[in-house]
Structure formats: C-alpha cells, structure tokens
Amino acid sequence: MKKYVIIAFVAVSGLFSVNAMAQSKVGHINAQALIEAMPEAQTAQKTLQQYAEELDKDGKGLIEEYQKKLTEFDKSAATMTDNIKEIKTKEIQTAQKNIQDYQESAQQKIEAKRSEILKPIYDKARKAIEDVAKEKGYAYVLDSSAGILLVSPASDDLAPMVKTKLGIK
C-alpha cells in the first residue's frame, strides 16, 4: 500500500510540473539583427573601423622597413661577406618578427576596443529584451541569431516590441 501512495505522489507531482511548463510563454528574437539595427552599433562600427585603420597605418611603417631591408639585402648579397650576410639576415628576421608581433598586438587592441565599445550596446539591448519579456509575461526568450536550436516550440517574435521599446523603426 505504501508503494502505491509513493507512485501516486510522484505521478501527481509530474502532472503539476508539466502543467506549469505548459503555461510558460516562450519568445524568440534575433539579437544580432536587433543590435545591428541600433544606431549606436552603427556608430560603434565606424569607430572601430577608424581605430583599425590607424593601427594599420602604424603597421605599414614596419612593413616598409622590412621591405627596404630585404631589397637592400637582395641587391648587395653577392658582394657581402658571410658575417655581414648573417647580420643582415638576422636584421630581416627581426623586422619580420616585429611585424608579426605588431599584428598580434593590434588584433588584441581591436578586440579590447570592440568589447569596450559594444558592451553598453549589448547591455542596452539585453535590458530592453528583458523588459519586454517581463511586461508581456514571457518566461523564456531564445536568441534565434545563433541558429543553434534545431527544433524549438512555437514562440512569438519579440523583435518588433523590443525595437519599439528602443525607438528603432
């Protein structure tokens, strides 16, 4: 008899949890498209592009120095002694390493700047999504931009409501 009471309790508990899940509203939004539609994101993209161009200009000086050393070496390699060739080869290798180091450093700086500039935009979009979800009673909001969900339950697209909240047309 005790066994039947436990089984009945588990079954009733399962019914209540299924019923609670069925009442949860699910929405979805393409967060990437939302962020791209925000005017702040477009301004941030231009700022990042300008920053990357400035870093690229600095890197071109290193490339020009490398090419100059390489050209000089090619022109006078036949008349150089082995010791001079070795020294010039090391200078060329050092210049090449400087270029690689600069490119890695520039990439890291661009990523840091991207994070710095885009964080407030992401935070603003996330807050708007959370506010709309709360106002409209959505328990779950899925990001459809990632494309990871292969199968999902029917849900409402929150993009129009979030864009309205952000003042985006």
Side-chain angles (χ1 to χ4, degrees):
M1 182 70 179
K2 192 174 183 182
K3 200 179 208 184
Y4 291 116
V5 172
I6 293 174
I7 292 172
F9 178 73
V10 170
V12 170
S13 301
L15 287 174
F16 283 121
S17 66
V18 168
N19 191 25
M21 290 284 283
Q23 292 176 356
S24 297
K25 286 173 71 175
V26 178
H28 69 274
I29 188 165
N30 186 332
Q32 190 62 36
L34 173 69
I35 290 169
E36 289 173 0
M38 295 172 67
E40 300 96 322
Q42 295 166 1
T43 303
Q45 192 62 32
K46 288 178 185 174
T47 303
L48 281 172
Q49 187 174 1
Q50 290 172 345
Y51 184 68
E53 287 172 0
E54 288 175 20
L55 291 175
D56 191 42
K57 285 179 188 175
D58 295 341
K60 285 182 180 176
L62 293 173
I63 293 171
E64 288 172 4
E65 177 188 336
Y66 168 75
Q67 289 173 340
K68 182 180 174 185
K69 287 182 180 189
L70 195 59
T71 303
E72 287 176 8
F73 181 79
D74 287 342
K75 285 182 182 176
S76 56
T79 60
M80 290 182 190
T81 64
D82 288 341
N83 288 339
I84 299 291
K85 280 184 184 179
E86 186 177 327
I87 291 170
K88 294 292 183 182
T89 301
K90 286 182 182 179
E91 286 178 5
I92 291 171
Q93 289 172 345
T94 301
Q96 190 175 22
K97 180 159 179 16
N98 289 343
I99 292 169
Q100 290 172 342
D101 291 346
Y102 182 80
Q103 288 173 338
E104 289 173 12
S105 172
Q107 194 63 34
Q108 290 172 351
K109 287 178 182 179
I110 290 170
E111 287 303 316
K113 187 80 164 175
R114 175 178 282 120
S115 296
E116 173 189 326
I117 290 175
L118 293 179
K119 185 179 182 330
I121 297 168
Y122 289 145
D123 292 345
K124 182 178 179 180
R126 183 175 183 85
K127 179 159 179 17
I129 292 168
E130 288 173 355
D131 290 347
V132 167
K134 193 173 192 178
E135 290 168 9
K136 303 295 181 181
Y138 287 92
Y140 301 98
V141 178
L142 306 172
D143 184 0
S144 61
S145 65
I148 295 173
L149 293 174
L150 301 175
V151 178
S152 64
S155 62
D156 300 327
D157 186 6
L158 301 183
M161 294 179 272
V162 174
K163 283 183 178 181
T164 300
K165 182 142 190 98
L166 290 171
I168 300 171
K169 294 184 180 184

